[in-house]
Amino acid sequence: MSDVSMIIDGERRAAPATFGVVNPATGAVHADAPDCSREQLDEAFAAAAKAFTDWRRDEDARRAALRQASAALRGAVDRIAPVLTAEQGKPLKAARGEANGASYWLNYFAELPLQREVIQDDERARAEVVRRPVGVVAAITPWNFPVMLAAWKIGPALLAGNTMVLKPSPFTPRSTLLMAEVLAEVLPPGVLNVVSGGDELGRWMTAHPVPRKISFTGSVATGKHIAASAAPDLKRVTLELGGNDAAILLDDVNPAEITERLFSGAFTNSGQVCSAIKRLYVPQRLHGDVVDALATRAAAARVGDGMDPQTELGPVQNRPQFDRVRELVAEALAGGAKAATGGAPIDGPGYFFQPTILAGATEGTRIVDEEQFGPALPVIPYRDVDEVVARANGTMYGLSGSVWSADPDRALAVADRLDCGTAWVNTHIALGPHQPFGGVKWSGIGVENGPWGLAAYTDIQVQYVAKN
Ligand code: NAD
């Protein structure tokens, strides 16, 4: 039996089987998690459907419960963070930041108003647009920010009056299960059910007749399967998918001044951020300087076990992802790119890869055209702004992007031309609960966060009162 439980109808539940969870810093199984059966999933959806009847009725009670949930999570940061580091790999400080962030997000949604709008009030009628919950939500999360991304879904879905069955990634189930145990102390039974298992469990969830909405964060490939699985039943979907973000430096930047921000935009969470810088476009004249500055910074980064307080970058989270990063970098090098620093795995156990800066990789190379999702960044020269905008947009991804300049207005004019959900100026990965986040093209459908993200967990009802 696993030392962590699923939460179904407010109760801790073991599963008939368990599966092993690997610590990426060692490459060895360090713990296990329950493997939810089909019957247990049915029970979880039945509990969510039952709880929906009461939960949807009292908005004040939901706000109070979310405030309590936020406080309970804040109180459990020290318990959750080491579990998150052990399974995900990120430095303990970042794991604490993630758990605190999740608490902050829940508190934001506890206070966010639900929209109502009077659209007509005249001699004929009074008509008001109100927001109603969609019902039971099936939520599925990835392995890069399991705790934070769960909160991005739980906060707005529950505030709007929905109930939920949530499944974390099989690579990082334990921190979310622990979070669920903490939240179960303050939420009514059945409102938030958390189950764990493999991809098959995700498929059962999206095909299940009870949920009316699927909220998914993960890869483009899975997102397409989920859209197809939702279609026959016309379930609503929010899909937060992968990115291949371009950052574009304009010719007036001072490389020394922005190196640190560029490095963190690309290498935070060891590059495993959907909206990390994945391609860096630099004017030809500055290319050498930028490559050198980033290589010096990357070479100085301390890579190691997240439990070591000195660690700045943890391992790649799992073996398939580690193999993919290794393959994409090796392919670029074989095609003529040069590693200004890094370029190879780090010897020893665990999925550690050297922070890598590549010069000479360009479009047509997979590490430029696809999402690498790891600690390796291609730095690509360009000649003029029209050309670089076309190259940045010349992809089916469209999550976010950034433009960097000594003149923010000039940068903003270029950012305005990027086809993506968030366009930053002089920064990258600046996010907040008030800020709608989502992608265009293959990077997703819909947004999370802010009133727009909350609206995605509602259906509109027009309440029309005739006056005569
Ligand atoms: P993934 O798509 O492999 O898995 C995500 C989740 O989906 C897991 O819980 C998995 O078990 C489940 N799943 C897999 N196949 C399924 C299916 N057919 N039906 C239902 N569920 C299924 O993604 P991942 O490798 O865990 O995460 C990395 C990806 O997530 C990257 O592409 C990254 O860019 C993306 N991501 C996007 C955002 C965003 O907000 N846009 C945020 C974080 C990560």
Side-chain angles (χ1 to χ4, degrees):
M1 215 174 100
S2 177
D3 61 327
V4 286
S5 314
M6 303 189 293
I7 296 290
I8 298 176
D9 206 9
E11 293 188 350
R12 294 185 187 196
R13 293 285 298 275
T18 59
F19 60 95
V21 179
V22 169
N23 178 339
T26 63
V29 170
H30 77 289
D32 57 20
D35 196 0
C36 184
S37 71
R38 204 158 188 155
E39 293 68 33
Q40 289 179 313
L41 181 66
D42 286 342
E43 282 178 49
F45 275 124
K50 185 163 142 262
F52 179 59
T53 315
D54 280 343
W55 181 249
R56 68 178 303 177
R57 283 206 187 112
D58 188 344
E59 188 180 323
D60 289 341
R62 296 200 299 273
R63 293 190 188 282
L66 276 175
R67 274 181 219 114
Q68 279 183 298
S70 167
L73 200 53
R74 201 173 326 112
V77 165
D78 288 339
R79 278 169 64 207
I80 293 173
V83 174
L84 177 56
T85 292
E87 67 180 2
Q88 205 287 333
K90 66 186 64 193
L92 190 58
K93 191 170 162 225
R96 291 179 56 85
E98 181 173 338
N100 270 315
S103 161
Y104 181 70
W105 244 260
L106 292 185
N107 202 47
Y108 167 82
F109 282 107
E111 309 305 335
L112 189 65
L114 271 163
Q115 292 171 3
R116 297 180 78 95
E117 194 182 342
V118 177
I119 53 168
Q120 180 183 352
D121 194 3
D122 55 23
E123 64 288 350
R124 289 182 60 213
R126 183 179 194 280
E128 187 170 16
V129 175
V130 301
R131 298 281 176 168
R132 290 154 62 92
V134 294
V136 175
V137 175
I140 301 176
T141 50
W143 45 257
N144 56 346
F145 292 93
V147 174
M148 180 65 123
L149 294 176
W152 283 27
K153 300 186 188 310
I154 294 167
L158 268 49
L159 172 66
N162 306 283
T163 57
M164 179 177 277
V165 177
L166 182 142
K167 184 193 95 66
S169 165
F171 291 114
T172 54
R174 292 169 53 82
S175 48
T176 313
L177 292 170
L178 188 51
M179 174 182 183
E181 278 181 23
V182 170
L183 299 185
E185 302 285 323
V186 296
L187 294 173
V191 166
L192 174 66
N193 306 274
V194 178
V195 294
S196 55
D199 297 351
E200 186 68 19
L201 179 62
R203 282 191 281 274
W204 294 342
M205 288 172 72
T206 61
H208 201 281
V210 167
R212 292 312 313 148
K213 172 167 176 119
I214 303 167
S215 177
F216 172 74
T217 303
S219 64
V220 170
T222 306
K224 289 180 182 178
H225 286 299
I226 287 177
S229 169
D233 192 28
L234 295 181
K235 292 185 174 86
R236 281 89 182 106
V237 289
T238 297
L239 302 175
E240 294 288 356
L241 309 179
N244 191 12
D245 286 16
I248 301 172
L249 308 192
L250 300 186
D251 55 10
D252 60 358
V253 295
N254 176 346
E257 273 175 15
I258 58 174
T259 302
E260 192 57 40
R261 267 177 288 156
L262 289 172
F263 177 77
S264 81
F267 287 87
T268 295
N269 213 37
S270 297
Q272 302 164 116
V273 184
C274 51
S275 56
I277 300 174
K278 306 213 169 102
R279 305 174 277 160
L280 177 59
Y281 288 98
V282 180
Q284 186 86 54
R285 184 176 62 81
L286 296 175
H287 184 257
D289 289 350
V290 171
V291 166
D292 289 349
L294 279 171
T296 304
R297 177 62 186 86
R302 180 105 179 221
V303 182
D305 187 328
M307 293 308 288
D308 177 345
Q310 304 298 319
T311 292
E312 188 180 2
L313 299 180
V316 175
Q317 199 280 323
N318 59 70
R319 180 91 219 186
Q321 187 58 32
F322 175 74
D323 288 344
R324 179 174 161 79
V325 172
R326 181 164 59 180
E327 209 176 281
L328 292 187
V329 170
E331 226 175 89
L333 294 174
K338 298 269 173 295
T341 187
I346 297 172
D347 284 343
Y351 310 138
F352 292 102
F353 200 87
Q354 297 167 348
T356 297
I357 300 294
L358 290 175
T362 188
E363 286 84 354
T365 312
R366 285 210 294 153
I367 199 160
V368 176
D369 295 345
E370 297 179 15
E371 182 182 37
Q372 66 272 42
F373 218 61
L377 178 69
V379 184
I380 310 160
Y382 74 87
R383 284 178 202 286
D384 71 68
V385 168
D386 288 344
E387 167 219 317
V388 77
V389 167
R391 289 166 77 180
N393 289 339
T395 163
M396 283 311 292
Y397 290 99
L399 193 55
S400 29
S402 60
V403 183
W404 302 65
S405 168
D407 176 353
D409 291 337
R410 189 176 163 227
L412 188 56
V414 178
D416 189 50
R417 297 170 63 188
L418 295 180
D419 298 334
C420 55
T422 305
W424 286 293
V425 167
N426 291 336
T427 188
H428 209 106
I429 329 186
L431 299 169
H434 63 298
Q435 204 175 309
F437 181 72
V440 304
K441 298 191 266 184
W442 284 0
S443 287
I445 294 180
V447 295
E448 294 191 287
N449 298 330
W452 304 270
L454 176 60
Y457 286 99
T458 64
D459 283 324
I460 280 179
Q461 183 180 59
V462 178
Q463 297 181 346
Y464 186 103
V465 182
K467 289 193 182 165
N468 49 46

